[in-house]
Amino acid sequence: MSAVYIETYGCQMNFADSEIVASLLQKAGHTVASDIEQADYILINTCAIRDNAEQRIRKRLRELRALQQRHRQVRIGILGCMAERLQSQLMVEEENVSFVVGPDSYRSLPLILDRVRQENVKAAETQLSTTETYADIEPVRLSSNGISAYISIMRGCQNYCAYCVVPYTRGRERSRDPQTIVDEARSLFNQGYKEVTLLGQNVNSYRFASLDGNEVTVDFPELMHRVAEISPLLRVRFATSHPKDLSDKLLQVMASHDNICKCIHLPVQSGSDRMLKLMNRHYDSAWYLDRIAAIRRYMPDCSITTDVIAGFCSETEEEHQMTLDIFRKVRYDYAYMFKFSMRPDTYAAKHLHDDIPEAEKTRRLEEIIALQGQIALENNRNEIGKTFEVLVEGESHRSKQQLFGRNSQNKVIVFDRQDAQPGQYIHVKVTDCTAATLKGEIV
Ligand code: 5AD
Ligand code: SF4
């Protein structure tokens, strides 16, 4: 039997998918290699969200040529969004790739691996599905610390934001049977896990209608409730939510369970109503701010994080200032900040112009980053003196004498270890901070 080495790039969904791939291949008799030099197959799970994500994969493929010179038997396969976007064209452009498999075709991987080797052919499998959720596959926890794990609960997206390639690479939305989700979370808890993160491209539009006659629909708040009920010692997180689907019902469920973490990632993308409309986001800044106010009403201690794009098509200086304004109003605890990158096939590529010069995009992005850095630092300073329940995750990267963990708000806290152990819940009083990290002591 052969050894497979899996390398993963991109979002949490990709990391969760790689664990499904590992499971499917192990079932077929392959082993997952931890050393790339030992591998018969190298699988690269890829991201296509921005051009630089794709360039990084292409660079990695060039680096792997040397290894292929040494081990002529090794075959390279591309999985994930870049495989779906480029399909067999990718094997023409990148000669050292033997197969491409899209996100809904992972069940065919064992067959493809055999064919590629035995028949010495190239293969592409990129059919998208409206039903595949891999609900029956128990993921092999590849990069896990044994404390927190991802559970993929829905796949795909059909929001068609004008800039976004995801609807084309991941197909239509579909939700996984809630019973299989609760079972997976319970099994993780019984194995000693203390935290699960429910994942979906658009997690809060989760909706599953049972097919057994007596029609019951499980929506995202109901699912969260069911997972949170497994045990008060199991923390529950989720990502990513779309502002248009952020219901009061979800906020009520979050507020009523201490073990549902008080942290919401709510991508804003822009502070300008004209940009939001052009982006096809289905909300305006007033709606977004109303959702922020609702979060604060139900959970005054909830942290809020976001995604934002600088320099989308035709964005004016004034519209960029509106983005800075909304950052000042919301005061995010963390933000993922990007320059707009035009993606083929999207609405933007077909109908809009990528007309903001690169240097100008960079300037706008840097302004957002600088403002956000200042806000995050101020937010963290407000935490000094407070005591939080922290789930210990492991040793601090800086010092063996220190451990780190996260509070419910998902903020990293570093503290002197004393006799605390990873996997424990402890209480830590915050004594100091940077923009990125809290420092504290066990109380
Ligand atoms: N250019 C820049 N950023 C993008 N994102 C999605 N598509 C693009 C693009 N074409 C960002 C959005 C999204 C996050 C996952 O990536 O902010 O929320
Ligand atoms: Fe992309 Fe918009 Fe779907 Fe998010 S909601 S994956 S940004 S299309």
Side-chain angles (χ1 to χ4, degrees):
M1 272 296 118
S2 57
V4 182
Y5 182 86
I6 306 174
E7 213 168 86
T8 308
Y9 295 82
C11 65
Q12 294 163 326
M13 283 295 287
N14 264 9
F15 284 82
D17 277 2
S18 288
E19 298 185 334
I20 289 168
V21 166
S23 174
L24 286 163
L25 290 173
Q26 277 188 0
K27 260 193 211 133
H30 300 279
T31 57
V32 176
S34 50
D35 176 5
I36 197 167
E37 297 285 335
Q38 305 300 321
D40 303 296
Y41 301 93
I42 299 170
L43 304 184
I44 308 181
N45 198 351
T46 60
C47 172
I49 195 98
R50 284 169 290 277
D51 184 58
N52 57 14
E54 293 199 2
Q55 293 314 323
R56 191 164 161 216
I57 306 289
R58 291 185 189 271
K59 177 162 170 269
R60 182 68 182 135
L61 283 170
R62 288 194 295 276
E63 285 165 13
L64 287 173
R65 283 191 200 142
L67 184 141
Q68 283 177 304
Q69 287 296 317
R70 275 181 278 128
H71 301 286
R72 294 194 175 275
Q73 293 307 314
V74 70
R75 299 283 196 285
I76 297 181
I78 298 291
L79 315 182
C81 288
M82 218 174 141
E84 191 61 49
R85 193 178 84 70
L86 294 162
Q87 312 205 346
S88 49
Q89 176 63 24
L90 185 58
M91 295 187 291
V92 178
E93 292 168 14
E94 304 289 342
E95 280 174 33
N96 56 339
V97 173
S98 300
F99 53 100
V100 293
V101 180
D104 287 344
S105 303
Y106 295 148
R107 287 181 202 269
S108 56
L109 266 169
L111 266 176
I112 290 178
L113 261 53
D114 289 347
R115 271 197 64 213
V116 161
R117 180 159 306 262
Q118 282 158 15
E119 298 166 31
N120 202 20
V121 291
K122 295 204 170 200
E125 191 64 57
T126 51
Q127 188 68 37
L128 284 171
S129 159
T130 53
T131 55
E132 179 63 274
T133 59
Y134 301 107
D136 57 316
I137 308 297
E138 192 184 337
V140 175
R141 307 290 162 185
L142 285 176
S143 48
S144 167
N145 54 7
I147 297 165
S148 43
Y150 295 128
I151 302 181
S152 162
I153 68 158
M154 54 102 64
R155 303 176 70 82
C157 180
Q158 56 217 37
N159 287 323
Y160 292 98
C161 298
Y163 50 80
C164 187
V165 77
V166 167
Y168 307 92
T169 63
R170 293 233 161 217
R172 297 189 73 74
E173 247 173 57
R174 71 223 86 134
S175 294
R176 172 179 168 190
D177 185 332
Q179 194 55 49
T180 68
I181 298 169
V182 174
D183 289 347
E184 185 174 332
R186 186 176 291 113
S187 150
L188 285 164
F189 181 67
N190 291 337
Q191 291 165 49
Y193 283 83
K194 296 285 163 46
E195 182 177 86
V196 292
T197 303
L198 307 188
L199 289 183
Q201 253 85 36
N202 190 1
V203 78
N204 53 346
S205 73
Y206 175 90
R207 179 165 286 274
F208 187 91
S210 77
L211 304 170
D212 61 3
N214 29 354
E215 170 80 19
V216 218
T217 299
V218 176
D219 60 7
F220 187 61
E222 172 62 22
L223 178 71
M224 285 294 283
H225 169 78
R226 291 189 189 180
V227 176
E229 288 288 305
I230 291 172
S231 164
L233 293 178
L234 181 69
R235 280 185 169 182
V236 189
R237 301 188 184 276
F238 58 96
T240 290
S241 337
H242 195 298
K244 77 177 168 57
D245 300 319
L246 190 79
S247 65
D248 281 42
K249 186 177 168 195
L250 174 63
L251 299 176
Q252 281 156 8
V253 168
M254 287 182 75
S256 62
H257 290 82
D258 284 343
N259 60 327
I260 299 185
C261 290
K262 303 298 177 277
C263 169
I264 297 184
H265 185 63
L266 203 63
V268 66
Q269 312 299 4
S270 169
S272 141
D273 290 343
R274 190 183 73 90
M275 283 292 104
L276 289 170
K277 195 160 177 36
L278 202 59
M279 288 173 164
N280 193 33
R281 287 292 286 176
H282 300 283
Y283 57 83
D284 58 15
S285 56
W287 166 275
Y288 185 89
L289 290 171
D290 170 75
R291 295 292 78 204
I292 297 292
I295 296 171
R296 300 246 149 94
R297 211 162 44 240
Y298 289 102
M299 296 171 286
D301 62 342
C302 191
S303 69
I304 301 174
T305 61
T306 203
D307 293 345
V308 70
I309 298 176
F312 185 59
C313 307
S314 78
E315 183 189 65
T316 64
E317 175 58 28
E318 199 188 351
E319 288 162 339
H320 161 62
Q321 292 297 329
M322 291 172 175
T323 295
L324 295 173
D325 272 348
I326 208 160
F327 268 60
R328 286 189 198 99
K329 285 188 181 127
V330 180
R331 300 187 59 79
Y332 297 106
D333 293 286
Y334 190 83
Y336 297 91
M337 299 162 276
F338 310 106
K339 276 191 271 189
F340 171 61
S341 163
M342 183 64 98
R343 307 309 289 132
D345 301 326
T346 57
Y347 178 90
K350 288 179 197 149
H351 303 283
L352 306 174
H353 297 291
D354 187 8
D355 54 356
I356 310 299
E358 190 60 24
E360 180 59 18
K361 284 183 188 169
T362 303
R363 200 214 91 225
R364 292 180 190 181
L365 177 65
E366 282 171 357
E367 263 181 42
I368 302 172
I369 292 173
L371 173 63
Q372 178 51 33
Q374 196 186 320
I375 292 171
L377 180 61
E378 287 164 8
N379 286 355
N380 279 354
R381 284 199 180 129
N382 285 332
E383 311 288 32
I384 294 177
K386 293 185 194 163
T387 298
F388 293 103
E389 184 181 62
V390 170
L391 173 58
V392 184
E393 286 183 31
E395 230 163 55
S396 144
H397 308 297
R398 291 254 174 87
S399 150
K400 280 200 180 337
Q401 310 315 317
Q402 292 192 311
L403 296 175
F404 80 97
R406 278 164 216 269
N407 63 7
S408 172
Q409 289 72 14
N410 209 26
K411 290 195 178 177
V412 172
I413 307 192
V414 179
F415 50 90
D416 285 343
R417 67 185 319 157
Q418 301 188 18
D419 47 13
Q421 297 295 329
Q424 270 181 346
Y425 289 105
I426 55 166
H427 283 87
V428 178
K429 183 173 180 182
V430 178
T431 55
D432 196 6
C433 70
T434 65
T437 318
L438 301 176
K439 291 170 193 168
E441 51 200 34
I442 300 180
V443 292

PDB file of all heavy atoms in Angstrom, residues 49-50 163-165 265 267 269 281 307-309 336 338-343, ligand 1:
ATOM      1  N   ILE A  49      -9.050  31.890  -3.688  1.00  0.00           N
ATOM      2  CA  ILE A  49      -9.833  33.079  -3.348  1.00  0.00           C
ATOM      3  C   ILE A  49      -9.222  34.365  -3.901  1.00  0.00           C
ATOM      4  O   ILE A  49      -9.936  35.251  -4.344  1.00  0.00           O
ATOM      5  CB  ILE A  49     -10.070  33.164  -1.820  1.00  0.00           C
ATOM      6  CG1 ILE A  49     -11.158  34.157  -1.473  1.00  0.00           C
ATOM      7  CG2 ILE A  49      -8.815  33.512  -1.038  1.00  0.00           C
ATOM      8  CD1 ILE A  49     -12.485  33.549  -1.236  1.00  0.00           C
ATOM      9  N   ARG A  50      -7.893  34.434  -3.881  1.00  0.00           N
ATOM     10  CA  ARG A  50      -7.212  35.594  -4.465  1.00  0.00           C
ATOM     11  C   ARG A  50      -6.073  35.090  -5.337  1.00  0.00           C
ATOM     12  O   ARG A  50      -5.593  33.972  -5.149  1.00  0.00           O
ATOM     13  CB  ARG A  50      -6.642  36.516  -3.359  1.00  0.00           C
ATOM     14  CG  ARG A  50      -7.701  37.368  -2.670  1.00  0.00           C
ATOM     15  CD  ARG A  50      -7.167  38.049  -1.439  1.00  0.00           C
ATOM     16  NE  ARG A  50      -6.935  37.079  -0.399  1.00  0.00           N
ATOM     17  CZ  ARG A  50      -7.881  36.622   0.431  1.00  0.00           C
ATOM     18  NH1 ARG A  50      -9.106  37.078   0.364  1.00  0.00           N
ATOM     19  NH2 ARG A  50      -7.600  35.696   1.330  1.00  0.00           N
ATOM     20  N   TYR A 163     -17.305  39.701  -6.220  1.00  0.00           N
ATOM     21  CA  TYR A 163     -15.854  39.515  -6.282  1.00  0.00           C
ATOM     22  C   TYR A 163     -15.427  38.068  -6.087  1.00  0.00           C
ATOM     23  O   TYR A 163     -14.260  37.732  -6.235  1.00  0.00           O
ATOM     24  CB  TYR A 163     -15.179  40.369  -5.191  1.00  0.00           C
ATOM     25  CG  TYR A 163     -15.830  40.162  -3.828  1.00  0.00           C
ATOM     26  CD1 TYR A 163     -15.520  39.056  -3.057  1.00  0.00           C
ATOM     27  CD2 TYR A 163     -16.803  41.054  -3.354  1.00  0.00           C
ATOM     28  CE1 TYR A 163     -16.152  38.829  -1.841  1.00  0.00           C
ATOM     29  CE2 TYR A 163     -17.438  40.838  -2.144  1.00  0.00           C
ATOM     30  CZ  TYR A 163     -17.109  39.714  -1.405  1.00  0.00           C
ATOM     31  OH  TYR A 163     -17.755  39.489  -0.220  1.00  0.00           O
ATOM     32  N   CYS A 164     -16.368  37.180  -5.722  1.00  0.00           N
ATOM     33  CA  CYS A 164     -15.965  35.932  -5.076  1.00  0.00           C
ATOM     34  C   CYS A 164     -16.059  34.714  -5.982  1.00  0.00           C
ATOM     35  O   CYS A 164     -17.060  34.476  -6.659  1.00  0.00           O
ATOM     36  CB  CYS A 164     -16.809  35.710  -3.836  1.00  0.00           C
ATOM     37  SG  CYS A 164     -16.251  34.298  -2.872  1.00  0.00           S
ATOM     38  N   VAL A 165     -15.029  33.901  -5.942  1.00  0.00           N
ATOM     39  CA  VAL A 165     -14.943  32.734  -6.810  1.00  0.00           C
ATOM     40  C   VAL A 165     -15.564  31.489  -6.149  1.00  0.00           C
ATOM     41  O   VAL A 165     -15.803  30.477  -6.816  1.00  0.00           O
ATOM     42  CB  VAL A 165     -13.444  32.521  -7.179  1.00  0.00           C
ATOM     43  CG1 VAL A 165     -12.672  31.889  -6.021  1.00  0.00           C
ATOM     44  CG2 VAL A 165     -13.280  31.725  -8.449  1.00  0.00           C
ATOM     45  N   HIS A 265     -17.749  36.127  13.817  1.00  0.00           N
ATOM     46  CA  HIS A 265     -17.019  36.634  12.660  1.00  0.00           C
ATOM     47  C   HIS A 265     -18.063  37.082  11.633  1.00  0.00           C
ATOM     48  O   HIS A 265     -18.824  36.256  11.129  1.00  0.00           O
ATOM     49  CB  HIS A 265     -16.128  35.530  12.085  1.00  0.00           C
ATOM     50  CG  HIS A 265     -15.268  36.017  10.962  1.00  0.00           C
ATOM     51  ND1 HIS A 265     -14.309  36.986  11.141  1.00  0.00           N
ATOM     52  CD2 HIS A 265     -15.235  35.690   9.651  1.00  0.00           C
ATOM     53  CE1 HIS A 265     -13.724  37.227   9.979  1.00  0.00           C
ATOM     54  NE2 HIS A 265     -14.261  36.457   9.062  1.00  0.00           N
ATOM     55  N   PRO A 267     -18.191  39.215   8.320  1.00  0.00           N
ATOM     56  CA  PRO A 267     -17.511  39.975   7.274  1.00  0.00           C
ATOM     57  C   PRO A 267     -18.327  41.182   6.803  1.00  0.00           C
ATOM     58  O   PRO A 267     -19.481  41.034   6.409  1.00  0.00           O
ATOM     59  CB  PRO A 267     -17.345  38.954   6.145  1.00  0.00           C
ATOM     60  CG  PRO A 267     -17.288  37.641   6.852  1.00  0.00           C
ATOM     61  CD  PRO A 267     -18.273  37.780   7.989  1.00  0.00           C
ATOM     62  N   GLN A 269     -16.900  43.628   4.538  1.00  0.00           N
ATOM     63  CA  GLN A 269     -16.388  43.826   3.165  1.00  0.00           C
ATOM     64  C   GLN A 269     -16.203  45.287   2.787  1.00  0.00           C
ATOM     65  O   GLN A 269     -15.203  45.638   2.170  1.00  0.00           O
ATOM     66  CB  GLN A 269     -17.258  43.130   2.101  1.00  0.00           C
ATOM     67  CG  GLN A 269     -17.624  41.680   2.410  1.00  0.00           C
ATOM     68  CD  GLN A 269     -16.451  40.718   2.541  1.00  0.00           C
ATOM     69  OE1 GLN A 269     -15.300  41.129   2.472  1.00  0.00           O
ATOM     70  NE2 GLN A 269     -16.722  39.454   2.767  1.00  0.00           N
ATOM     71  N   ARG A 281     -24.000  42.203  -1.764  1.00  0.00           N
ATOM     72  CA  ARG A 281     -23.935  41.665  -0.409  1.00  0.00           C
ATOM     73  C   ARG A 281     -25.307  41.543   0.265  1.00  0.00           C
ATOM     74  O   ARG A 281     -25.414  41.014   1.368  1.00  0.00           O
ATOM     75  CB  ARG A 281     -23.007  42.534   0.442  1.00  0.00           C
ATOM     76  CG  ARG A 281     -21.537  42.359   0.102  1.00  0.00           C
ATOM     77  CD  ARG A 281     -21.030  40.994   0.475  1.00  0.00           C
ATOM     78  NE  ARG A 281     -20.856  40.824   1.905  1.00  0.00           N
ATOM     79  CZ  ARG A 281     -20.496  39.679   2.493  1.00  0.00           C
ATOM     80  NH1 ARG A 281     -20.293  38.607   1.768  1.00  0.00           N
ATOM     81  NH2 ARG A 281     -20.357  39.603   3.789  1.00  0.00           N
ATOM     82  N   ASP A 307     -14.065  40.540   7.869  1.00  0.00           N
ATOM     83  CA  ASP A 307     -13.247  40.550   6.652  1.00  0.00           C
ATOM     84  C   ASP A 307     -13.553  41.848   5.914  1.00  0.00           C
ATOM     85  O   ASP A 307     -14.708  42.302   5.924  1.00  0.00           O
ATOM     86  CB  ASP A 307     -13.647  39.425   5.690  1.00  0.00           C
ATOM     87  CG  ASP A 307     -13.350  38.036   6.212  1.00  0.00           C
ATOM     88  OD1 ASP A 307     -12.593  37.896   7.172  1.00  0.00           O
ATOM     89  OD2 ASP A 307     -13.899  37.077   5.621  1.00  0.00           O
ATOM     90  N   VAL A 308     -12.558  42.405   5.246  1.00  0.00           N
ATOM     91  CA  VAL A 308     -12.791  43.631   4.488  1.00  0.00           C
ATOM     92  C   VAL A 308     -11.942  43.618   3.216  1.00  0.00           C
ATOM     93  O   VAL A 308     -10.870  43.006   3.184  1.00  0.00           O
ATOM     94  CB  VAL A 308     -12.486  44.872   5.359  1.00  0.00           C
ATOM     95  CG1 VAL A 308     -10.988  45.016   5.617  1.00  0.00           C
ATOM     96  CG2 VAL A 308     -13.049  46.143   4.731  1.00  0.00           C
ATOM     97  N   ILE A 309     -12.456  44.250   2.192  1.00  0.00           N
ATOM     98  CA  ILE A 309     -11.737  44.324   0.914  1.00  0.00           C
ATOM     99  C   ILE A 309     -11.451  45.782   0.591  1.00  0.00           C
ATOM    100  O   ILE A 309     -12.370  46.605   0.563  1.00  0.00           O
ATOM    101  CB  ILE A 309     -12.563  43.682  -0.215  1.00  0.00           C
ATOM    102  CG1 ILE A 309     -12.795  42.196   0.079  1.00  0.00           C
ATOM    103  CG2 ILE A 309     -11.872  43.872  -1.566  1.00  0.00           C
ATOM    104  CD1 ILE A 309     -13.694  41.494  -0.938  1.00  0.00           C
ATOM    105  N   TYR A 336      -9.555  40.357   9.108  1.00  0.00           N
ATOM    106  CA  TYR A 336      -8.779  39.867   7.965  1.00  0.00           C
ATOM    107  C   TYR A 336      -8.970  40.903   6.864  1.00  0.00           C
ATOM    108  O   TYR A 336     -10.094  41.154   6.425  1.00  0.00           O
ATOM    109  CB  TYR A 336      -9.290  38.508   7.497  1.00  0.00           C
ATOM    110  CG  TYR A 336      -9.144  37.429   8.537  1.00  0.00           C
ATOM    111  CD1 TYR A 336     -10.172  37.163   9.435  1.00  0.00           C
ATOM    112  CD2 TYR A 336      -7.977  36.673   8.620  1.00  0.00           C
ATOM    113  CE1 TYR A 336     -10.036  36.166  10.396  1.00  0.00           C
ATOM    114  CE2 TYR A 336      -7.834  35.684   9.577  1.00  0.00           C
ATOM    115  CZ  TYR A 336      -8.870  35.437  10.456  1.00  0.00           C
ATOM    116  OH  TYR A 336      -8.743  34.451  11.406  1.00  0.00           O
ATOM    117  N   PHE A 338      -7.940  42.587   3.097  1.00  0.00           N
ATOM    118  CA  PHE A 338      -7.411  42.180   1.800  1.00  0.00           C
ATOM    119  C   PHE A 338      -7.495  43.300   0.778  1.00  0.00           C
ATOM    120  O   PHE A 338      -8.412  44.114   0.813  1.00  0.00           O
ATOM    121  CB  PHE A 338      -8.223  40.997   1.249  1.00  0.00           C
ATOM    122  CG  PHE A 338      -8.403  39.875   2.221  1.00  0.00           C
ATOM    123  CD1 PHE A 338      -9.631  39.658   2.839  1.00  0.00           C
ATOM    124  CD2 PHE A 338      -7.344  39.034   2.526  1.00  0.00           C
ATOM    125  CE1 PHE A 338      -9.796  38.614   3.735  1.00  0.00           C
ATOM    126  CE2 PHE A 338      -7.510  37.982   3.432  1.00  0.00           C
ATOM    127  CZ  PHE A 338      -8.736  37.774   4.033  1.00  0.00           C
ATOM    128  N   LYS A 339      -6.558  43.258  -0.168  1.00  0.00           N
ATOM    129  CA  LYS A 339      -6.700  44.076  -1.374  1.00  0.00           C
ATOM    130  C   LYS A 339      -7.586  43.311  -2.337  1.00  0.00           C
ATOM    131  O   LYS A 339      -7.468  42.087  -2.445  1.00  0.00           O
ATOM    132  CB  LYS A 339      -5.331  44.239  -2.044  1.00  0.00           C
ATOM    133  CG  LYS A 339      -4.506  45.344  -1.478  1.00  0.00           C
ATOM    134  CD  LYS A 339      -3.294  45.594  -2.366  1.00  0.00           C
ATOM    135  CE  LYS A 339      -2.134  44.725  -1.943  1.00  0.00           C
ATOM    136  NZ  LYS A 339      -0.878  45.070  -2.629  1.00  0.00           N
ATOM    137  N   PHE A 340      -8.427  44.011  -3.052  1.00  0.00           N
ATOM    138  CA  PHE A 340      -9.259  43.327  -4.044  1.00  0.00           C
ATOM    139  C   PHE A 340      -8.381  42.662  -5.101  1.00  0.00           C
ATOM    140  O   PHE A 340      -7.427  43.246  -5.610  1.00  0.00           O
ATOM    141  CB  PHE A 340     -10.221  44.313  -4.719  1.00  0.00           C
ATOM    142  CG  PHE A 340     -10.932  43.707  -5.887  1.00  0.00           C
ATOM    143  CD1 PHE A 340     -11.752  42.604  -5.710  1.00  0.00           C
ATOM    144  CD2 PHE A 340     -10.767  44.223  -7.168  1.00  0.00           C
ATOM    145  CE1 PHE A 340     -12.398  42.010  -6.796  1.00  0.00           C
ATOM    146  CE2 PHE A 340     -11.410  43.641  -8.256  1.00  0.00           C
ATOM    147  CZ  PHE A 340     -12.224  42.533  -8.064  1.00  0.00           C
ATOM    148  N   SER A 341      -8.730  41.431  -5.414  1.00  0.00           N
ATOM    149  CA  SER A 341      -8.045  40.675  -6.453  1.00  0.00           C
ATOM    150  C   SER A 341      -9.101  40.177  -7.439  1.00  0.00           C
ATOM    151  O   SER A 341     -10.021  39.457  -7.058  1.00  0.00           O
ATOM    152  CB  SER A 341      -7.312  39.503  -5.774  1.00  0.00           C
ATOM    153  OG  SER A 341      -6.952  38.515  -6.696  1.00  0.00           O
ATOM    154  N   MET A 342      -8.997  40.599  -8.673  1.00  0.00           N
ATOM    155  CA  MET A 342     -10.012  40.215  -9.662  1.00  0.00           C
ATOM    156  C   MET A 342      -9.920  38.728  -9.959  1.00  0.00           C
ATOM    157  O   MET A 342      -8.845  38.226 -10.276  1.00  0.00           O
ATOM    158  CB  MET A 342      -9.799  41.030 -10.941  1.00  0.00           C
ATOM    159  CG  MET A 342     -10.819  40.774 -12.012  1.00  0.00           C
ATOM    160  SD  MET A 342     -12.483  41.283 -11.518  1.00  0.00           S
ATOM    161  CE  MET A 342     -12.586  42.893 -12.314  1.00  0.00           C
ATOM    162  N   ARG A 343     -11.037  38.013  -9.845  1.00  0.00           N
ATOM    163  CA  ARG A 343     -11.053  36.571 -10.097  1.00  0.00           C
ATOM    164  C   ARG A 343     -11.841  36.268 -11.356  1.00  0.00           C
ATOM    165  O   ARG A 343     -12.961  36.779 -11.540  1.00  0.00           O
ATOM    166  CB  ARG A 343     -11.680  35.819  -8.902  1.00  0.00           C
ATOM    167  CG  ARG A 343     -11.072  36.121  -7.560  1.00  0.00           C
ATOM    168  CD  ARG A 343      -9.556  35.992  -7.522  1.00  0.00           C
ATOM    169  NE  ARG A 343      -9.099  34.621  -7.613  1.00  0.00           N
ATOM    170  CZ  ARG A 343      -8.126  34.204  -8.443  1.00  0.00           C
ATOM    171  NH1 ARG A 343      -7.515  35.058  -9.236  1.00  0.00           N
ATOM    172  NH2 ARG A 343      -7.772  32.960  -8.462  1.00  0.00           N
TER     173      ARG A 343
HETATM  174  N1  5AD B   1     -10.327  39.729  -3.562  1.00  0.00           N
HETATM  175  C1  5AD B   1     -10.011  40.043  -2.290  1.00  0.00           C
HETATM  176  N2  5AD B   1     -10.580  39.475  -1.222  1.00  0.00           N
HETATM  177  C2  5AD B   1     -11.537  38.543  -1.455  1.00  0.00           C
HETATM  178  N3  5AD B   1     -12.290  37.814  -0.606  1.00  0.00           N
HETATM  179  C3  5AD B   1     -13.088  37.016  -1.330  1.00  0.00           C
HETATM  180  N4  5AD B   1     -12.881  37.213  -2.643  1.00  0.00           N
HETATM  181  C4  5AD B   1     -11.916  38.174  -2.745  1.00  0.00           C
HETATM  182  C5  5AD B   1     -11.277  38.797  -3.828  1.00  0.00           C
HETATM  183  N5  5AD B   1     -11.591  38.505  -5.097  1.00  0.00           N
HETATM  184  C6  5AD B   1     -12.219  37.949   0.849  1.00  0.00           C
HETATM  185  C7  5AD B   1     -13.541  38.360   1.449  1.00  0.00           C
HETATM  186  C8  5AD B   1     -14.019  37.107   2.092  1.00  0.00           C
HETATM  187  C9  5AD B   1     -12.727  36.444   2.494  1.00  0.00           C
HETATM  188  C10 5AD B   1     -12.810  34.990   2.762  1.00  0.00           C
HETATM  189  O1  5AD B   1     -11.872  36.687   1.410  1.00  0.00           O
HETATM  190  O2  5AD B   1     -13.304  39.368   2.412  1.00  0.00           O
HETATM  191  O3  5AD B   1     -14.853  37.326   3.201  1.00  0.00           O
END
